[in-house]
Every structure is written in structure tokens, then in C-alpha cells.
């Protein structure tokens, strides 16, 4: 996998000269996957250029950490390891004590909990480290596990798309159920339009997913990287159930508002947290689409309230809807 280099001019530390040695070290580092010790990298560099010493490699690594190109990780082995941070979102690690291999994952639920705890203690969190030690499936069973060597960038994009697709599916289901249950013709057509929107987004996302799979033949079978307990079944699934149990048009619209708002917030907050990557792009675009839906639903809610007020000759009862 070839990485496009970050903007080196922008990343350069004040007063540091760009040296060709450093550039070579950077290039070799960015070609590697996984977690390298400084000695591993020094060895790789030596193969390319005998004249570059260990001390130069150490200094370059230090510079990469400060410039945000590399992250230092401590797996409790008595030495640090380094991994890319460019286009590589912060993550947690599973570490096998038998084969010493590590694999990476992310969980929105764990991150939300950490944020909640830090906020409760008014602690300004800079970095959180979670390492799970144990025995991997391969060491436990002797059977080769799913290849974990895919680049995190692709895994992240794959999982972000899977979650967005699950959300669109549940949204489509929700608006379909709401349209079938609607009593008012205007509300019904609003739900039908939103369902049509979801259908279109769904096919766009599915096409994007197929395109992504074309970049790595084994992508589908690689282990899950992003875990989203709350979002796995689609953020609209509970709303669709409520509508099926029978609600008024206004209630259905309000449930839609609630689901779209939760979905918008989820994708926006999560997308913003990530560094530049395809996954981030998917999340932020999706957050925008959900915001547009939210605004349409709020307009429909107001219209419905206005018409109801008109019929009964009363002024509409304004309930504030804040996004
Ligand atoms: Zn193992
Ligand atoms: Zn890692």
C-alpha cells in the first residue's frame, strides 16, 4: 500500500531542516504496517542506506511523533513501538501474549464512556490507552484466523460504510412504515419522499462499498475494526417498531426527528474525531444528509401543527425543536 505523504512543509518543526536522510526514514516508516520498534526501523533503514545510524533513526522517530506522523505505543515489552498516525485513527489494541501480535479496534461505546467519565471529573483527556492482553484465536485454536493485515484506513472506511448502510436501511424501513401508517395525505407524501431519499442514498452507499471491496479482495473477511453497539442495527430500528405499534402522524414525525437527530449527532461527532480518511468522509457526508432530513421533518411538524390549529381555530402550540 502506498501512502500519500502528508504535507511535509506544514509538518516541519520550526527550525528543523528537511534532510534527505530524514525523508528516507519517513518513507520507509510509512511503507510499513503495524507497530515497529525503533530497532526494527533502524534495521530496515540499514538495508537501504548503511550510512544512516541508529541515533539518526531515533531522532527522526522522535520528530515524526512530534509532527503527528507517528504515534508511540507501549505494549509493556520494555520498549516503545511506533505506528502511523497519518490517516490512521486512534484506536485500541488486542495483544496476544503467545505470538506477540497485536490487532486494532475502535469502539464508540468505550469512547463515549471515557468521555463521560472524564467530563464527570472535569478532566481534560488528551489520550486514552486501552490494551487487552490474552491469547489470539489463531494461537488458541491453531487455525489461521482472518488476515488482520489490511490497512486500518480501508477497514475504517469499510466499517464506516457498513454502519451508514445499516442506518439507511433502518431509515428506509422507518419511513416506509410511517408512510403506510399515515392518516394525513401530506404527512404520507412527506414520509414517502424521505423513504425515496433513503433508497437513493442506500444505493449510492452500496455502490461505494463495492468500489471499496475492489481495492482489497479479502476486505470483507477481515476482522471488524469499528464496534458500534448502539448503531449496529441501524439508528432507526427502534423508531420503526414504535410506528408499527400505532402512532399519530405528529408522533411519527417526532420519532423521525428524534432518530435523524441522533443519527446526525452520531455521525458528526464520530466523523470529526477521525483524522483525514475515507471513513471520516463517509461519516461527515452522511451527517450532512441526516441534517437535511431533520430540517425537512421539523418543517413538516410545524406545518402539521399549523393546519391542526387552523382547523380548531386555535393558535399553534409551539414546542421548541432544537437541533
Ligand atoms: Zn497469538
Ligand atoms: Zn495500533
Amino acid at each position: 500500500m502506498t501512502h500519500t505523504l502528508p504535507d511535509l512543509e506544514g509538518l516541519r518543526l520550526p527550525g528543523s531542516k528537511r534532510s534527505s536522510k530524514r525523508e528516507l526514514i519517513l518513507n520507509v516508516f510509512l511503507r510499513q504496517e503495524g507497530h515497529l520498534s525503533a530497532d526494527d526501523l533502524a534495521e530496515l533503514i540499514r538495508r537501504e542506506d548503511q550510512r544512516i545510524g541508529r541515533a539518526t533513526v531515533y531522532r527522526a522517530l522522535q520528530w515524526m511523533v512530534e509532527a503527528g506522523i507517528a504515534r508511540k505505543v507501549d505494549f509493556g515489552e520494555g520498549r516503545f513501538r511506533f505506528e502511523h498516525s497519518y490517516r490512521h485513527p486512534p484506536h485500541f489494541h488486542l495483544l496476544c501474549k503467545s505470538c506477540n501480535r497485536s490487532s486494532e479496534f475502535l469502539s464508540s461505546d468505550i469512547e463515549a464512556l471515557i468521555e463521560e467519565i472524564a467530563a464527570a471529573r472535569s478532566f481534560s483527556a488528551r489520550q486514552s490507552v486501552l490494551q487487552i492482553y490474552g491469547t489470539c484465536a489463531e494461537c488458541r485454536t491453531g487455525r489461521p484466523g482472518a488476515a488482520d493485515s489490511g490497512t486500518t484506513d480501508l477497514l475504517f472506511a469499510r466499517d464506516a460504510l457498513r454502519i451508514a448502510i445499516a442506518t439507511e436501511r433502518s431509515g428506509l424501513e422507518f419511513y416506509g412504515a410511517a408512510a403506510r401508517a399515515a392518516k394525513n395525505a401530506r404527512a404520507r407524501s412527506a414520509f414517502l419522499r424521505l423513504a425515496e431519499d433513503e433508497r437513493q442514498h442506500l444505493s449510492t452507499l452500496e455502490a461505494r462499498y463495492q468500489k471499496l471491496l475492489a481495492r482489497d479482495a479479502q476486505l470483507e473477511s477481515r476482522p471488524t475494526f469499528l464496534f458500534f453497539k448502539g448503531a449496529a442495527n441501524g439508528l432507526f430500528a427502534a423508531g420503526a417498531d414504535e410506528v408499527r405499534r400505532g402512532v399519530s402522524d405528529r408522533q411519527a414525525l417526532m420519532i423521525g426527528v428524534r432518530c435523524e437527530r441522533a443519527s446526525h449527532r452520531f455521525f458528526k461527532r464520530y466523523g470529526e474525531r477521525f483524522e483525514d480518511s475515507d471513513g471520516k468522509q463517509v461519516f461527515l457526508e452522511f451527517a450532512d444528509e441526516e441534517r437535511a432530513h431533520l430540517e425537512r421533518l421539523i418543517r413538516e411538524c410545524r406545518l402539521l401543527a399549523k393546519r391542526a390549529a387552523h382547523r380548531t381555530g386555535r393558535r399553534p402550540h409551539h414546542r421548541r425543536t432544537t437541533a
Side-chain angles (χ1 to χ4, degrees):
M1 151 117 200
T2 45
H3 280 265
T4 2
L5 285 183
D7 176 13
L8 291 177
E9 292 303 319
L11 287 171
R12 211 181 337 156
L13 293 176
S16 76
K17 277 199 289 294
R18 169 123 67 102
S19 76
S20 58
K21 279 184 186 175
R22 183 170 282 178
E23 241 167 82
L24 172 78
I25 298 169
L26 176 67
N27 280 319
V28 172
F29 176 71
L30 289 179
R31 279 205 306 270
Q32 312 308 313
E33 291 297 335
H35 311 87
L36 289 160
S37 69
D39 288 339
D40 294 338
L41 185 62
E43 179 54 33
L44 290 165
I45 299 295
R46 213 178 49 82
R47 279 185 226 157
E48 304 236 354
D49 187 342
Q50 299 258 357
R51 292 165 308 171
I52 301 180
R54 218 161 268 259
T56 310
V57 174
Y58 291 171
R59 273 199 306 275
L61 269 171
Q62 199 50 46
W63 165 77
M64 286 191 259
V65 169
E66 281 161 30
I69 303 166
R71 255 194 306 266
K72 215 171 177 173
V73 289
D74 183 356
F75 290 166
E77 312 159 293
R79 60 174 177 180
F80 288 110
R81 288 182 177 272
F82 298 85
E83 61 182 6
H84 308 167
S85 55
Y86 179 67
R87 288 178 78 85
H88 189 173
H91 51 268
F92 304 125
H93 294 105
L94 293 158
L95 298 159
C96 177
K97 288 311 248 180
S98 303
C99 64
N100 283 320
R101 277 182 301 185
S102 62
S103 69
E104 304 179 332
F105 73 97
L106 251 184
S107 154
S108 65
D109 309 284
I110 292 173
E111 294 203 310
L113 196 59
I114 291 172
E115 273 176 21
E116 201 180 293
I117 292 167
R121 301 278 296 261
S122 357
F123 187 84
S124 151
R126 192 168 48 84
Q127 191 198 0
S128 34
V129 175
L130 176 65
Q131 273 155 208
I132 305 176
Y133 294 92
T135 316
C136 72
E138 208 170 322
C139 288
R140 232 164 25 75
T141 62
R143 280 194 302 272
D148 195 13
S149 57
T151 64
T152 311
D153 196 20
L154 275 186
L155 292 181
F156 174 33
R158 178 201 67 184
D159 293 348
L161 276 168
R162 282 182 180 169
I163 293 155
I165 287 169
T167 306
E168 286 293 6
R169 282 219 180 94
S170 71
L172 177 59
E173 216 180 290
F174 169 77
Y175 289 117
R180 279 190 298 278
K183 286 125 210 143
N184 175 291
R186 196 190 149 97
R188 186 179 314 117
S189 81
F191 287 134
L192 284 174
R193 277 201 313 276
L194 283 156
E196 188 43 44
D197 236 47
E198 303 283 23
R199 208 185 322 264
Q200 270 174 29
H201 290 165
L202 189 57
S203 60
T204 312
L205 288 171
E206 274 165 349
R208 215 154 149 183
Y209 189 71
Q210 291 309 320
K211 229 166 119 186
L212 194 70
L213 293 186
R215 284 167 62 184
D216 172 358
Q218 271 149 50
L219 192 58
E220 281 251 84
S221 61
R222 295 195 196 280
T224 305
F225 173 65
L226 280 171
F227 289 85
F228 288 97
K229 225 169 95 200
N233 300 322
L235 292 158
F236 291 80
D241 285 344
E242 267 178 83
V243 165
R244 278 192 212 97
R245 282 196 297 271
V247 290
S248 73
D249 291 352
R250 186 179 156 77
Q251 281 168 326
L253 282 167
M254 292 311 290
I255 294 167
V257 166
R258 200 185 65 213
C259 293
E260 293 283 2
R261 184 177 292 149
S263 175
H264 166 73
R265 279 192 185 153
F266 173 82
F267 285 101
K268 188 168 163 65
R269 274 186 59 198
Y270 234 75
E272 279 172 350
R273 194 176 299 171
F274 293 128
E275 284 154 66
D276 209 16
S277 60
D278 290 347
K280 181 193 181 95
Q281 207 49 40
V282 170
F283 273 22
L284 290 181
E285 280 170 28
F286 200 68
D288 279 347
E289 281 164 12
E290 298 299 71
R291 162 139 225 131
H293 287 176
L294 179 60
E295 280 160 7
R296 254 157 73 185
L297 282 166
I298 291 173
R299 266 200 313 275
E300 290 299 330
C301 266
R302 293 212 172 110
L303 263 167
L304 204 70
K306 213 185 259 173
R307 286 158 54 112
H310 198 74
R311 271 202 305 279
T312 56
R314 278 191 298 129
R315 284 182 58 76
H317 195 73
H318 274 292
R319 199 180 285 172
R320 271 176 67 87
T321 35
T322 43

